Amino acid sequence: MTRRERTTAEPDTLLLEDPAPAVVPTGGAAAGTPEGPTTSPPRRPSRLGIVGAFVVAVVVAAVLAAVHLTQGTADVGALDLLRLVTGGEGVDQTVAVLVASRVPRLLAGLLLGVALGVAGAVLQSVARNPLASPDTLAVNAGAYLSVVVVAAFGVSVPFYLQGGIAFAGGLVAAGLVLVLARGGADGPTRLVLAGSAIMLALHSLTTVLLVLFEQETIGLFAWGSGSIVQSGTRTVTLATPVVVVGVLAALVLARRLDLLGLGDDAATVLGVDVRRTRVVAVLVAVLLAAIAVTVAGPVGFVGLAAPVVARLVARRVPGLGRHVLLLPFAAVTGVVVVLGADVLLRLLLPGTLSIAVPTGIVTTVLGATLLVWLARRLRDSGPASSRGGHGALSRPRSRRAVLVVVVVLSAAVAAAAVAGLLLGDRVVLLGDVANWWTGAAGRHLTFVLDQRFPRVLAALLAGAALALAGTIVQAVCRNPLAEPSLLGVTSGAGLGAVTMILLVPGVGIWPMSAAAVVGAFAVFGLVYGLSYRGGLSSDRLVLIGIGAQAGVMALITLLVVVVAPWDVNLALTWLSGSTYGRTLEQLVPVAAALVVLTPLTAVLRRDLDVLALDDDTPRVLGIALDRTRLLLLGVAALLTAAAVCAIGALAFVGLVAPHAARALVGARHARVVPVAMLLGALLVSVADTLGRVVIAPGQIPAGLGTALLGAPYFVYLLWRSRGRGA
């Protein structure tokens, strides 16, 4: 039979139907509070169907493996492999090529497919959420950070110790995400948002280490996307026993995972220790994911795609949904996903590029596409998901209180600007700044302040633009946890700008700005179009945006690795959001965008107030809902693209500033907009100044500082709103 997976907080977020026993709770399964059982006619397991499904999957994997062995840079093809089997001439060269590179790469693909397929299936069952995976639960990000830390500090450790460190990092990350999302009980949107926040914070820490320890971490940028290229079989040989133990442990838990799908109460009645089962299952899944990261880096979205495909097949094959069969089937499906992605990669990029480009880029693009498809299946109760505006939770503030806030923040922004001019690898005095302003300073001092002034101005303008864009996005989406980067706008602008920088060296600011705007609107248009299904659902918009962001970031990595593998640090610094080397000319687009779009937003402030409430009120008041939404989101995309041109990709500014502004002055956008812009400017300016001071003369990009400052606040928001859905 089939079962609909639902939760108390998100009753309409069905994405998949998983096979389960005949008596199943209709609601509250994830929260452990079933509202009542329903019975549907059981379907007898189909042995022929189960055997057929496994045979087809194994045959496909075998064909892909055979094709995989024929691909590579050496002149060894299918005929050479056939001669090897039949004992013909030229066997020695064929054996040498196979042993040196092709067989180790194939074995790594097999190992990763099995490990990530089983890990993803276990996590989805534990969270009762088809979007749970080592990627969305930040397991891969935590494990990858641990590996980079070891490499950055030049510590040489044995393979198993490195795997243990990766396991610890992945476990901490996954535990935090599951706690914030109540084990997945608050619905898929909240789970993915929590995972995205933790993953972005960990990625920021990783990028800091890659930038600061460039020599010690050479090659880890591309490896961070997941590469199954191996120089021998030693690593795979060491990892295989760990994967075997993890898979066997998962199979031991199979029966308990079946019962866990009935709901916490039902499973407890049937003798299952729910808490212990969840803990052990998460440990097993994290172990498998961590060993995969240790072998090949974080190969993206295999742990999401393989179990989802396996469950889709299980819906049509009675009996295959039992975990004792589903887990091995997910393992084989994982092998098909990894080998299929690697075969496709080497078909599209023959020669040495197939070695340089990580396989994880292809799996991430495929997995992001699958995430978008799953998000489009998200159900809502009407034309748009409406749970009440976020402004409803904000208390009104008096005019005096608002004035005090504005004055204090204005003074803080001014102080931050002055501090940005004074502090750095060389500290200057206020008198020096005054002399520089009047043109009376010395040559050296003039050189220093001529560099700092555009940087300080870039931080202020970009922060204000991103805060304004975030305010608009949160109001339109009616989701205080949304921001431009979560809708794919930031990554789209980054793709356009990076493409122009790498393909046209020395390009001017206006062509780069145009490319960033085109990229931002292309991704935004794609996300908006896919999200609009008889109306705009906030949850669907955010999930599709996150999928688009992951896919576009993978394309950026591909572009960097293919076009400029020798200049990875430059791309890393720019993608992290940096004010380094900025000139006044480069700030013209963001300044122009603020001058034009801020008054437009002020004119539409009442529309923002109404849109933040629900869908019905705007229609009653005569507001063209869809047209106004599209106009405002277009304004947000323009602001984001302009900010990306000025300072690169910044994280969390568009999330933290609007939310903090509402907490300070209430929900009315006439007050929120100026306060949010001041907070955004302050956040980026402080992050930039700290980045120039903390490790002077070295520098930490401003975007990494905003991520490290904003991520804890985002985690606090998720923690405070636990149990209230996304």
Side-chain angles (χ1 to χ4, degrees):
M1 66 159 286
T2 62
R3 165 175 74 84
R4 297 190 183 276
E5 293 190 348
R6 299 191 176 185
T7 69
T8 305
E10 293 283 337
D12 293 313
T13 55
L14 171 65
L15 300 179
L16 291 174
E17 294 178 349
D18 296 334
V23 180
V24 182
T26 59
T33 55
E35 298 174 1
T38 180
T39 306
S40 59
R43 292 191 300 170
R44 297 183 60 185
S46 171
R47 292 186 178 180
L48 181 61
I50 293 172
V51 173
F54 270 98
V55 168
V56 170
V58 170
V59 168
V60 171
V63 171
L64 288 172
V67 174
H68 192 274
L69 287 176
T70 66
Q71 296 176 310
T73 57
D75 188 19
V76 174
L79 294 179
D80 298 297
L81 296 180
L82 182 61
R83 282 195 292 269
L84 176 63
V85 175
T86 58
E89 297 180 356
V91 172
D92 293 340
Q93 179 184 358
T94 303
V95 171
V97 171
L98 291 178
V99 172
S101 61
R102 295 192 185 180
V103 169
R105 185 166 179 163
L106 174 62
L107 292 177
L110 295 173
L111 186 78
L112 261 66
V114 171
L116 294 175
V118 174
V122 170
L123 289 175
Q124 288 178 6
S125 297
V126 169
R128 299 194 193 94
N129 193 319
L131 297 183
S133 72
D135 303 278
T136 56
L137 295 186
V139 176
N140 285 348
Y144 178 45
L145 172 61
S146 302
V147 173
V148 172
V149 168
V150 172
F153 290 98
V155 181
S156 179
V157 297
F159 175 81
Y160 289 121
L161 179 56
Q162 187 177 37
I165 295 172
F167 170 75
L171 184 62
V172 171
L176 182 56
V177 173
L178 288 173
V179 168
L180 293 174
R182 295 202 307 148
D186 282 343
T189 306
R190 183 184 179 86
L191 182 74
V192 176
L193 275 172
S196 298
I198 302 303
M199 182 168 55
L200 185 54
L202 296 176
H203 176 70
S204 298
L205 284 172
T206 303
T207 307
V208 169
L209 295 175
L210 291 176
V211 171
L212 297 182
F213 299 92
E214 181 181 2
Q215 296 301 319
E216 293 83 356
T217 59
I218 288 178
L220 286 182
F221 173 70
W223 186 82
S225 295
S227 174
I228 64 173
V229 175
Q230 302 288 315
S231 58
T233 59
R234 178 179 178 276
T235 300
V236 175
T237 302
L238 292 173
T240 299
V242 181
V243 173
V244 171
V245 170
V247 172
L248 291 176
L251 290 174
V252 170
L253 294 172
R255 177 61 178 167
R256 296 187 177 187
L257 292 175
D258 288 336
L259 297 177
L260 198 63
L262 298 173
D264 291 357
D265 290 349
T268 301
V269 170
L270 294 173
V272 175
D273 188 329
V274 173
R275 177 173 296 181
R276 180 178 299 176
T277 299
R278 279 204 175 104
V279 170
V280 174
V282 169
L283 288 174
V284 170
V286 172
L287 174 66
L288 290 170
I291 202 66
V293 170
T294 307
V295 171
V299 181
F301 285 99
V302 176
L304 172 69
V308 166
V309 172
R311 292 177 191 275
L312 289 173
V313 174
R315 289 175 56 188
R316 289 163 175 77
V317 180
L320 187 57
R322 295 171 55 204
H323 282 83
V324 70
L325 298 173
L326 181 65
L327 294 178
F329 191 68
V332 179
T333 307
V335 171
V336 171
V337 171
V338 175
L339 294 185
D342 205 40
V343 167
L344 179 62
L345 172 67
R346 295 207 277 183
L347 284 175
L348 297 177
L349 297 174
T352 56
L353 282 179
S354 64
I355 299 176
V357 176
T359 306
I361 289 179
V362 181
T363 62
T364 298
V365 173
L366 295 176
T369 304
L370 180 62
L371 177 59
V372 170
W373 176 77
L374 290 173
R376 280 182 55 79
R377 290 169 58 100
L378 189 71
R379 296 184 178 182
D380 47 68
S381 56
S385 179
S386 300
R387 302 191 195 113
H390 54 257
L393 299 177
S394 300
R395 295 180 298 171
R397 302 293 191 271
S398 66
R399 289 187 179 181
R400 178 179 296 179
V402 174
L403 181 61
V404 170
V405 169
V406 171
V407 170
V408 171
L409 285 177
S410 299
V413 170
V418 173
L421 289 173
L422 300 181
L423 302 178
D425 53 353
R426 174 185 172 179
V427 178
V428 299
L429 304 176
L430 278 174
D432 296 329
V433 175
N435 291 333
W436 167 78
W437 188 258
T438 59
R443 180 182 301 177
H444 184 70
L445 186 62
T446 299
F447 175 78
V448 171
L449 290 177
D450 280 348
Q451 285 189 320
R452 286 188 190 174
F453 180 68
R455 298 187 65 169
V456 172
L457 197 57
L460 296 174
L461 293 177
L466 289 173
L468 180 56
T471 302
I472 294 171
V473 169
Q474 290 182 9
V476 173
C477 294
R478 290 196 300 277
N479 192 330
L481 302 182
E483 68 157 344
S485 65
L486 293 180
L487 301 182
V489 178
T490 304
S491 58
L495 177 62
V498 169
T499 301
M500 188 62 68
I501 290 173
L502 294 179
L503 297 184
V504 189
V507 66
I509 183 60
W510 290 109
M512 187 182 72
S513 300
V517 170
V518 170
F521 271 93
V523 177
F524 163 68
L526 179 66
V527 170
Y528 190 90
L530 292 173
S531 304
Y532 193 90
R533 195 181 67 184
L536 189 66
S537 165
S538 171
D539 287 348
R540 192 161 56 237
L541 182 68
V542 171
L543 288 174
I544 290 176
I546 290 173
Q549 181 192 26
V552 173
M553 291 304 294
L555 293 178
I556 292 176
T557 304
L558 173 64
L559 186 66
V560 172
V561 172
V562 171
V563 177
W566 62 87
D567 207 6
V568 167
N569 201 50
L570 173 64
L572 264 177
T573 302
W574 197 89
L575 286 173
S576 302
S578 175
T579 62
Y580 180 78
R582 291 298 177 263
T583 64
L584 291 177
E585 181 188 4
Q586 293 174 317
L587 307 184
V588 174
V590 67
L594 285 171
V595 169
V596 174
L597 299 177
T598 302
L600 176 60
T601 306
V603 171
L604 297 174
R605 64 189 183 281
R606 297 192 184 278
D607 291 350
L608 286 171
D609 290 336
V610 176
L611 288 174
L613 296 175
D614 53 40
D615 279 357
D616 296 329
T617 304
R619 293 191 178 97
V620 171
L621 296 177
I623 296 175
L625 186 62
D626 292 334
R627 186 173 62 190
T628 305
R629 271 179 174 157
L630 187 58
L631 172 63
L632 287 168
L633 288 176
V635 169
L638 269 175
L639 288 165
T640 303
V644 168
C645 291
I647 199 173
L650 291 180
F652 286 109
V653 179
L655 166 70
V656 172
H659 199 283
R662 286 193 300 272
L664 289 172
V665 297
R668 291 175 53 190
H669 284 84
R671 300 175 174 182
V672 170
V673 167
V675 173
M677 293 176 69
L678 288 171
L679 285 169
L682 179 64
L683 175 61
V684 180
S685 181
V686 170
D688 181 53
T689 302
L690 289 177
R692 289 188 279 121
V693 171
V694 172
I695 59 170
Q699 298 186 24
I700 299 175
L704 301 181
T706 60
L708 297 178
L709 292 174
Y713 185 76
F714 189 42
V715 170
Y716 162 73
L717 294 180
L718 289 168
W719 177 266
R720 194 180 66 173
S721 60
R722 293 171 75 236
R724 288 187 286 184

